[in-house]
């Protein structure tokens, strides 16, 4: 496993990849989905003008992402020619925390204008999460977030804002593709 990856006070600008993960790429060595990425912490990170030829305009994760924290993270002008305009997490994601995170002008040619969760998502928490001008231009949907699989304990209870989010397919802001358990919504602006 990868443990304790911390990035703070970082600027990523004008970065691109022809394949997956415009800036950061985590792969679990082919199709061995047992790799854990523990405690990925991004603090005071700004991302501008990044892109990928495949999924994950900013970050691509092919593995189990456990306890990731996105604190004061701003992603502006991030795009992909596939899914996940900013973040693409293809396997399980446990206990993700988003504090003061903004996704502005992010887009995907397929689905998930900002964030794609492809595996089971557990205990999603946030405070002050914004999606502004995010779009999914293909038929997959999810103008801001695409939840492809099972979700356990999803509560929109901190401040969340969705402004001018759109999808050519379904779910102009949020797309739920599978089972959802314990879903609650409070204090959300659409």
């Amino acid at each position: 496993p990868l443990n304790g990856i911390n990035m703070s006070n970082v600027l990523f600008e004008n970065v691109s990849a022809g394949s997956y993960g415009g800036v950061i790429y985590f792969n679990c060595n082919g199709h061995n989905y047992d790799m854990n990425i523990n405690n990925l912490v991004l603090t005071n990170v700004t991302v501008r003008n990044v892109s990928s030829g495949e999924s994950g305009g900013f970050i691509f994760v092919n593995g189990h992402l456990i306890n990731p924290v996105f604190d004061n993270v701003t992603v502006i002008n991030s795009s992909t020619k596939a899914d996940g305009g900013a973040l693409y997490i293809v396997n399980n994601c446990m206990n993700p925390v988003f504090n003061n995170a903004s996704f502005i002008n992010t887009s995907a040619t397929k689905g998930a204008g900002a964030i794609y969760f492809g595996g089971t998502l557990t205990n999603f928490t946030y405070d002050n999460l914004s999606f502004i001008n995010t779009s999914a231009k293909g038929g997959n949907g999810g103008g801001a977030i695409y939840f492809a699989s099972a979700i356990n304990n999803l509560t929109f209870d901190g401040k969340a804002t969705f402004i001018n989010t759109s999808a050519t397919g379904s779910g102009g802001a949020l797309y739920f593709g599978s089972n959802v358990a314990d879903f609650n919504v409070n204090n959300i602006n659409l």
Side-chain angles (χ1 to χ4, degrees), residues 70-117:
F70 298 87
D71 187 23
N72 291 315
V73 173
T74 302
V75 180
I76 303 168
N77 299 329
S78 179
S79 64
T80 181
K81 292 183 180 175
D83 296 302
L87 306 176
Y88 182 89
I89 302 164
V90 74
N91 283 310
N92 299 330
C93 186
M94 297 169 45
N95 310 315
V97 175
F98 292 84
N99 290 318
N100 299 314
S102 298
F103 299 89
I104 303 165
N105 298 328
T106 62
S107 64
T109 301
K110 293 184 179 179
I115 304 172
Y116 179 95
F117 291 109

Side-chain angles (χ1 to χ4, degrees), residues 11-15 46-50 74-78:
L11 168 65
F12 295 104
E13 187 168 23
N14 300 323
V15 180
T46 301
V47 178
R48 276 188 235 135
N49 305 322
V50 300
T74 302
V75 180
I76 303 168
N77 299 329
S78 179

